[in-house]
Amino acid sequence: DIQMTQSPSSLSASVGDRVTITCRASQTISTYLNWYQQKPGKAPNLLIYAASSLQSGVPSRFSGSGSGTDFTLTISSLQPEDFATYYCQQSYNTLGLTFGGGTKVEIK
Amino acid sequence: QVTLKESGPVLVKPTETLTLTCTVSGFSLNTATMGVSWIRQPPGKALEWLAHIFSNDEKTYKKSLKRRLTISKDTSKSQVVLTMTDMDPVDTATYYCARINFVEPNFFDPWGQGTLVTVSS
């Protein structure tokens, strides 16, 4: 299986901060990379697909970039509702879909 | 509006078989480009994809759990069923179903609300 490694595992930030989360794949996955947001007690919600495409209805402060093995999720100006856990997920190998370990974004 | 909803037991005993049902609305399980996946999340841990099934009845399972999992669908009832045999306390998790695209790009959207399954004697 393709291993997905996220960093950091958690971070503290203030409202208005620019936040960057990194996801690294154990092998090249082109741009087959998705990002999800999960709030406590809720199901994950798709934010970004194909590395950089913003899902309909997702605020434009969220953006994704990268290809190959290294990917980034950026929140340009952190809002109170953005405090959550974020997961990357590779869709390169549909016979073994895998997620990263998650990055928890907490209030500083 | 596309929705998915999981149902099943809250508590199962070790060695028992778990049967979960995902009831979908807003799309058909016959839709050529769509499928349904099962994903689980142990308390406080990361997400783990388990299996998916597509309209042509193509099924794929997580390699390490393949011998324990069976996924099937009943198109007339708009339901996808996942069974997992020989349950163990480490299988305690919230189980989600989610729609998945059959064509690229593949992603999970939307998700059901999830159902927490506890494995304990």
Side-chain angles (χ1 to χ4, degrees):
Chain A
D1 280 355
I2 299 173
Q3 308 302 316
M4 306 301 294
T5 304
Q6 287 183 236
S7 61
S9 56
S10 66
L11 65 90
S12 295
S14 301
V15 172
D17 284 353
R18 182 182 182 87
V19 169
T20 299
I21 298 168
T22 297
C23 178
R24 175 164 289 176
S26 61
Q27 66 180 72
T28 184
I29 59 171
S30 184
T31 57
Y32 293 91
L33 192 283
N34 306 314
W35 290 97
Y36 301 85
Q37 176 193 65
Q38 186 179 34
K39 295 182 180 179
K42 300 293 186 183
N45 182 51
L46 177 69
L47 296 176
I48 302 281
Y49 63 92
S52 60
S53 294
L54 194 67
Q55 173 67 344
S56 176
V58 174
S60 59
R61 62 181 180 272
F62 291 93
S63 65
S65 64
S67 66
T69 60
D70 295 316
F71 301 87
T72 299
L73 174 70
T74 300
I75 309 172
S76 60
S77 177
L78 197 65
Q79 298 302 300
E81 60 268 30
D82 301 337
F83 292 97
T85 300
Y86 294 84
Y87 292 94
C88 62
Q89 174 247 324
Q90 64 81 18
S91 59
Y92 179 83
N93 177 11
T94 56
L95 299 181
L97 298 166
T98 48
F99 291 87
T103 296
K104 186 174 183 179
V105 177
E106 300 175 300
I107 302 172
K108 183 183 273 186
Chain B
Q1 182 191 5
V2 173
T3 64
L4 302 93
K5 187 171 184 179
E6 306 86 351
S7 58
V10 174
L11 179 68
V12 298
K13 291 182 167 54
T15 75
E16 287 186 340
T17 295
L18 171 68
T19 300
L20 294 171
T21 300
C22 176
T23 302
V24 311
S25 64
F27 74 103
S28 169
L29 295 176
N30 279 332
T31 302
T33 59
M34 297 293 174
V36 172
S37 294
W38 284 96
I39 299 139
R40 70 178 178 179
Q41 184 174 38
K45 295 189 177 180
L47 300 160
E48 178 184 31
W49 168 78
L50 300 176
H52 55 234
I53 187 167
F54 290 111
S55 58
N56 61 0
D57 215 37
E58 177 184 329
K59 304 163 188 175
T60 307
Y61 299 98
K62 183 178 176 70
K63 203 180 310 182
S64 61
L65 293 172
K66 187 175 183 177
R67 67 171 181 83
R68 299 174 55 204
L69 294 173
T70 303
I71 192 170
S72 61
K73 63 183 173 75
D74 185 332
T75 303
S76 65
K77 294 183 179 178
S78 294
Q79 291 180 334
V80 173
V81 175
L82 182 76
T83 63
M84 180 179 288
T85 62
D86 194 24
M87 292 292 284
D88 183 271
V90 300
D91 297 312
T92 293
T94 296
Y95 287 75
Y96 296 99
C97 60
R99 188 176 67 170
I100 181 170
N101 283 2
F102 184 61
V103 294
E104 297 170 2
N106 307 106
F107 50 75
F108 302 114
D109 181 67
W111 297 55
Q113 63 189 22
T115 185
L116 176 61
V117 178
T118 301
V119 184
S120 174
S121 54

